[in-house]
Each structure stands twice: as structure tokens, then as C-alpha cells.
Amino acid sequence: VYYSKNILNLGIWYRGIPISKPTPDYANNDALVFLMGFNIDRFKMGYSYDLTLSKLSNAVSKGSHEISLSYQFCKLKKPRNKKRLLITCPKF
């Protein structure tokens, strides 16, 4: 799930497939990912935190932090026909 407003991007993801269990003792839940980012012209800066859900608990791993910084050198071309664009990709 993403939410974007002006320069702010927020998101939350679930990583894992809880309905697929290769073995009975394998939960197949990995993490919840929380994302926050900013877009200013061609610069993008973001921070995400992975909250561990698997047997490797947060007491052991403390989750995972990630910081990203990017700059887009070329100018993107806007699509000519907007009717083709049904679902937009996340900008972050």
C-alpha cells in the first residue's frame, strides 16, 4: 500500500506468503516493511524499516533499517496516451 501527497511518500508492505507452507513447521512469514520518502524534482530520499515476523524474531535481529538516496539524470518522457496507463507504478 502506498500513499503519496505532494513530495511525501508513505508505504507499508507485507513480505511472505502465509497460505503457502512447504513444511508444517515453516510459517512463511518474513516481515512488515514501513517506508517513508521524499521526492523533490529529480532527487529522492527514503527510509524503510523491516519488522521481522519470522522465527528470527526482533529480539535477535532488531529488524532492518535502510536509507536510500537517488538522483534521476535523464528527463522522463510523459506517456502520450493516458488511457493505456491503468495502474501507475510507485514513484519511489
Side-chain angles (χ1 to χ4, degrees), residues 70-87:
S70 68
Y71 177 77
Q72 184 175 346
F73 289 98
C74 61
K75 200 172 194 177
L76 290 177
K77 293 180 182 179
K78 295 189 178 189
R80 292 181 188 172
N81 187 356
K82 289 194 175 190
K83 289 182 181 179
R84 286 184 169 179
L85 189 61
L86 299 176
I87 300 174

Side-chain angles (χ1 to χ4, degrees), residues 30-48:
D30 186 38
L32 274 176
V33 180
F34 301 95
L35 168 85
M36 181 178 73
F38 300 95
N39 297 338
I40 301 172
D41 295 325
R42 295 182 183 186
F43 289 98
K44 296 178 183 178
M45 187 174 83
Y47 167 77
S48 66

Side-chain angles (χ1 to χ4, degrees), residues 3-27:
Y3 174 77
S4 295
K5 181 77 172 179
N6 299 328
I7 65 169
L8 178 67
N9 295 303
L10 299 172
I12 184 170
W13 309 340
Y14 170 75
R15 190 169 52 229
I17 306 172
I19 58 173
S20 173
K21 295 183 180 185
T23 62
D25 60 337
Y26 184 68

Side-chain angles (χ1 to χ4, degrees), residues 2 85-91:
Y2 280 102
L85 189 61
L86 299 176
I87 300 174
T88 61
C89 266
K91 300 275 190 252

Side-chain angles (χ1 to χ4, degrees), residues 49-54 56-65:
Y49 176 71
D50 292 19
L51 177 67
T52 307
L53 300 175
S54 66
L56 177 64
S57 70
N58 282 318
V60 175
S61 73
K62 303 288 187 215
S64 175
H65 300 271

